[in-house]
Amino acid sequence: MVEHPFRRFSRRNQSDVAWSPSGTRLAINDRTMLDIWDATSDKKITTLAGHVGPVNSVSWSPDGTHLVTTDAYREIRIWDLQSPGQSHSISTGSPVARIDWSNRADSLSSVAAGDLTISRWHTKDGERIETVSPLVSAGEDTGILSPDGRLWAHWSGANESKSITVRKVKSAAVHSVWTAGESFEPRSFAWSPKGTKLAVVIRSATSFDLECWYVNKEQQISRWIHRRINNGTDELTNPTWSPDGASVALVGLGDFGDNGNPVWSSHLHVVDVATGKRTRKRMFGNRSRYGGQIVALAWSPDCRFLAQGTTEGLVEILSPSASEKTVLCKAHDVPIRALAWSPNGLRLATAAASGTVKVMEPRQGNELLTLHVEGDSCGLVSWSPDGKKLAAVNDAGVIQIWDATRGYEFAEGGNRRAELAWVYYDQATEKTAELQPSYLRRALDLAPKALDYRYLRGHALARLGEFDAAAREFSAAVPGQLKQGLWMARWRAYALLGARDMATYRELQAALMDGVRDSEVWSKQLAVAWLGALIPGANDEFNAYVKELTALKLGKPTKLNDDRDGLYDVDMLRLGTMQYRLGRYAEAYETLAGLVANPDPSADTKGQYILTCTHYFLAMARNQLGHQFQASRQLVEANRCAERLAGVTEKWHWQVEFATLEREATALLGEPD
């Protein structure tokens, strides 16, 4: 799979990100400029610059060869993408809320943000063709466009007889008018997916009604009446059309006359548009006052399922026909703000008030990815048409785009890429063994080959088992003075040990010993001595260290006595291993046996690590003392401990040590591989 760069963009409204008609390019609003990206290779094609004020609307021509943009200073620019350095500039005289292309791409329409004045313009020379002004009168709301952008529906009339007027965007001519009547108050409305119908929620003194009507015919299709609860403050909200336009889902309370608390709980209502009959009523979670209020709805693309999100972070996946098993899961700890199904219906994205976006398998309730949006809250999520990318927008207007198949944020720019390298490296630790390699690879791709990042690159490569490459990274990170680069050199030594480059390993260990021999920090000397104890052969310094450690064990004055009452377990391990390397097998056995006499099953990973190394050296010491049977059993236990520890720690150098000691012990005992 190709891994991609990422980009984050500041935005003002939803139209700041626009896919080309072919779905191969993406136009991204970056304040006063516009970036054009190739969606297949995730590479920026060009940047369009020319606006003085922030761009607030973007639209492609039907053939994908031109773009039209508007800014806060009332200017329209038309860009020829075959000559992106040039653009037409159109001064509209007022802020623009929406722009749309004609089918032939030779003209476009703009809608003024204030009074919805509609103007048509030539795209070649920027000349105005016609203007219809104003589109709405005082007291009228701005309304919403139909999905295909051909029609504009808005509230009309400031008196008691409120209505919805539908106009043609191109000509501003009235297309149709829906009237609620004197005793009804329109509350909300929504376009059907094809833009041929409207669902309107209206309120009267005794009920909330859902009325569906044909826009072209000005004809009512159906009406569903939902009686109000004791004339209270209840509401019918979130009218959401099914993708096939056959049903509308809404959120409200229970029915008037329901007994007990269920009437006050948040309910889902599904209404059949053709008949006006409710086909499904369900209290969230099927329990009274459970899960908070339903605040988000989303239909699956095939209309088989509905997703509901609540103020308590719960998500429920149910079948509108009640023919499928309901899935209920806890997605977030805070209110859900938005839901979005992937185009193939196999994944569901949830956005929460905490700024967290999650991708889940809706039919199983399994969480696949957790993504973190910059800022405190996320109110919009949107899938790309191919379902491979996911965009999320926070309340501050920042868009972030991820590879929705792997959770990688697309990024560009050295600083951001470097920051993300650490993020993916750290996240690899939290992932399963199957996912860890992909996150480590991502960290490697993002991490620059600079001195400050050699450490990260070396560790990522070592965790992937590429020890030769890891050794080179650690070597490049070691400064000229070996004393200053002691710990980086130690990591290089472990990488060499993993690569089984024993000759270079011995040379490096000897050089490190020379570098720390005069150090007053005994922990450094013992750490380097331990590197020597991991491989066969005695070291000149071992006798001195054994003498000091033994004195400390007996409570006598010693250079190692840094206010300690005795030896720590790790010191006992080092003492026993150096005794073994000096050929003092009986002493080594006596020293090490105490560490495994009463093992603590609840020991932390460091304790388990000491126990594992002890088992390996005990196996070899027992074999040298002629106790082959006990040595074999000790080796089996050592391997069990190593395998158990491999699943709970990311410390790759421990696994290198275990593998090195296991090979030596196996060869010594004559055990089969």
Side-chain angles (χ1 to χ4, degrees):
M1 180 178 292
V2 178
E3 297 182 5
H4 310 294
F6 96 109
R7 183 87 161 103
R8 85 176 38 190
F9 312 93
S10 84
R11 68 183 290 281
R12 291 171 60 85
N13 52 54
Q14 296 180 27
S15 62
D16 286 352
V17 178
W19 291 90
S20 66
S22 63
T24 60
R25 288 175 293 171
L26 191 65
I28 309 290
N29 176 359
D30 194 2
R31 296 187 181 276
T32 61
M33 297 182 293
L34 201 70
D35 292 333
I36 309 299
W37 285 73
D38 187 320
T40 57
S41 64
D42 291 299
K43 293 182 179 179
K44 184 164 66 175
I45 300 172
T46 187
T47 297
L48 308 179
H51 281 285
V52 177
V55 175
N56 57 23
S57 187
V58 181
S59 181
W60 289 83
S61 64
D63 60 4
T65 61
H66 290 74
L67 270 172
V68 60
T69 57
T70 63
D71 65 21
Y73 291 103
R74 309 174 183 180
E75 183 180 67
I76 293 177
R77 283 184 177 267
I78 303 170
W79 308 86
D80 182 351
L81 297 183
Q82 296 176 349
S83 302
Q86 304 173 1
S87 66
H88 298 304
S89 177
I90 301 175
S91 180
T92 64
S94 63
V96 175
R98 173 82 184 215
I99 48 179
D100 286 284
W101 289 84
S102 66
N103 290 333
R104 293 181 299 174
D106 59 352
S107 65
L108 58 85
S109 300
S110 66
V111 180
D115 58 6
L116 301 187
T117 296
I118 295 181
S119 301
R120 292 181 62 223
W121 313 85
H122 282 298
T123 57
K124 291 185 177 180
D125 54 17
E127 292 294 323
R128 190 193 303 264
I129 301 173
E130 63 177 341
T131 298
V132 178
S133 176
L135 183 59
V136 296
S137 305
E140 296 177 333
D141 202 343
T142 54
I144 54 176
L145 279 174
S146 62
D148 59 8
R150 297 185 304 107
L151 301 174
W152 186 281
H154 57 90
W155 304 122
S156 55
N159 52 34
E160 294 182 358
S161 181
K162 289 189 176 181
S163 60
I164 295 176
T165 299
V166 177
R167 296 180 184 270
K168 297 178 181 179
V169 172
K170 294 180 182 179
S171 64
V174 174
H175 180 72
S176 56
V177 178
W178 173 91
T179 303
E182 295 184 1
S183 59
F184 294 95
E185 177 187 0
R187 301 294 293 174
S188 61
F189 62 90
W191 285 95
S192 66
K194 294 183 178 180
T196 59
K197 308 169 189 173
L198 272 176
V200 186
V201 175
I202 54 179
R203 182 176 67 180
S204 69
T206 59
S207 69
F208 275 102
D209 299 356
L210 173 69
E211 182 170 313
C212 300
W213 59 292
Y214 287 116
V215 173
N216 296 338
K217 302 178 182 179
E218 293 187 335
Q219 176 183 336
Q220 183 187 95
I221 304 172
S222 61
R223 189 167 191 156
W224 172 63
I225 299 175
H226 179 62
R227 296 189 63 187
R228 299 183 64 186
I229 307 300
N230 297 329
N231 298 330
T233 58
D234 55 316
E235 190 76 74
L236 202 59
T237 64
N238 294 71
T240 306
W241 284 84
S242 61
D244 60 5
S247 302
V248 175
L250 307 99
V251 177
L253 300 182
D255 293 331
F256 180 82
D258 283 352
N259 294 322
N261 288 333
V263 69
W264 299 109
S265 298
S266 191
H267 284 66
L268 169 74
H269 304 275
V270 181
V271 178
D272 180 77
V273 173
T275 63
K277 295 181 179 180
R278 183 173 58 194
T279 58
R280 185 85 194 268
K281 181 187 79 167
R282 178 180 171 83
M283 184 166 49
F284 186 86
N286 208 26
R287 282 177 273 180
S288 176
R289 299 193 178 186
Y290 171 74
Q293 298 298 310
I294 302 171
V295 289
L297 293 176
W299 289 82
S300 64
D302 59 5
C303 304
R304 290 179 56 199
F305 301 103
L306 255 173
Q308 306 178 89
T310 75
T311 53
E312 294 185 7
L314 295 175
V315 172
E316 186 176 48
I317 312 296
L318 56 86
S319 167
S321 62
S323 61
E324 303 278 354
K325 180 181 178 181
T326 299
V327 176
L328 179 64
C329 62
K330 180 76 171 178
H332 303 271
D333 295 325
V334 296
I336 288 175
R337 298 279 304 278
L339 300 168
W341 291 80
S342 63
N344 61 8
L346 299 180
R347 289 172 292 165
L348 179 72
T350 66
S354 61
T356 300
V357 174
K358 294 189 177 183
V359 178
M360 60 183 292
E361 291 179 314
R363 295 305 301 139
Q364 291 77 34
N366 298 329
E367 180 182 321
L368 300 176
L369 300 170
T370 299
L371 314 171
H372 299 283
V373 176
E374 192 176 85
D376 296 331
S377 186
C378 178
L380 176 67
V381 283
S382 179
W383 294 84
S384 64
D386 59 5
K388 294 182 179 179
K389 300 179 181 68
L390 184 66
V393 186
N394 70 7
D395 288 349
V398 176
I399 292 178
Q400 289 171 252
I401 303 174
W402 289 273
D403 179 337
T405 62
R406 307 177 72 177
Y408 294 155
E409 190 179 1
F410 297 143
E412 185 178 89
N415 291 338
R416 183 57 184 165
R417 288 173 66 86
E419 291 172 4
L420 284 177
W422 284 108
V423 171
Y424 288 120
Y425 180 82
D426 292 337
Q427 286 185 354
T429 304
E430 306 170 0
K431 303 300 178 181
T432 63
E434 293 77 13
L435 289 177
Q436 282 185 12
S438 63
Y439 275 74
L440 292 171
R441 293 287 180 196
R442 183 60 172 167
L444 282 169
D445 287 346
L446 291 170
K449 294 182 179 180
L451 183 63
D452 292 344
Y453 288 88
R454 295 291 185 179
Y455 175 87
L456 180 151
R457 295 179 62 82
H459 278 285
L461 288 164
R463 290 173 65 178
L464 289 167
E466 299 178 19
F467 296 111
D468 286 326
R472 290 193 293 270
E473 293 289 346
F474 289 130
S475 179
V478 176
Q481 294 294 324
L482 191 59
K483 291 181 181 180
Q484 300 174 9
L486 170 64
W487 301 114
M488 197 68 69
R490 284 183 65 237
W491 291 123
R492 182 190 172 211
Y494 279 117
L496 291 169
L497 193 61
R500 304 191 192 185
D501 186 352
M502 306 310 292
T504 309
Y505 177 82
R506 291 180 187 276
E507 292 175 2
L508 179 58
Q509 195 273 336
L512 287 172
M513 185 58 70
D514 289 339
V516 300
R517 183 172 286 111
D518 299 328
S519 173
E520 295 181 358
V521 182
W522 274 86
S523 59
K524 289 185 177 181
Q525 296 190 38
L526 290 175
V528 174
W530 171 251
L531 292 177
L534 287 172
I535 58 176
N539 192 294
D540 294 339
E541 282 76 15
F542 284 175
N543 280 309
Y545 292 135
V546 167
K547 180 180 178 180
E548 296 293 336
L549 287 169
T550 302
L552 182 59
K553 178 182 177 182
L554 298 174
K556 296 180 180 180
T558 171
K559 296 178 182 179
L560 295 177
N561 194 344
D562 50 1
D563 299 326
R564 292 186 291 183
D565 296 330
L567 292 182
Y568 297 144
D569 285 352
V570 68
D571 297 322
M572 293 290 288
L573 172 63
R574 289 167 175 168
L575 173 59
T577 56
M578 285 186 280
Q579 288 171 332
Y580 175 81
R581 292 305 183 196
L582 290 169
R584 296 153 62 171
Y585 303 124
E587 294 179 28
Y589 174 78
E590 182 182 356
T591 300
L592 297 171
L595 292 176
V596 299
N598 297 296
D600 182 2
S602 62
D604 59 12
T605 55
K606 182 63 178 295
Q608 296 178 48
Y609 159 76
I610 293 173
L611 186 66
T612 304
C613 292
T614 302
H615 279 303
Y616 278 121
F617 277 100
L618 273 175
M620 292 188 286
R622 280 183 158 179
N623 184 78
Q624 297 287 8
L625 293 171
H627 306 148
Q628 282 79 17
F629 177 73
Q630 292 88 342
S632 295
R633 294 183 61 183
Q634 200 91 49
L635 179 58
V636 170
E637 184 60 29
N639 289 335
R640 287 177 180 170
C641 290
E643 183 178 354
R644 186 164 54 245
L645 194 56
V648 296
T649 180
E650 76 284 0
K651 296 184 182 296
W652 60 270
H653 63 291
W654 288 1
Q655 301 305 317
V656 168
E657 292 181 14
F658 299 158
T660 302
L661 296 175
E662 192 273 336
R663 286 194 300 270
E664 181 183 357
T666 298
L668 182 64
L669 273 63
E671 296 287 327
D673 291 337

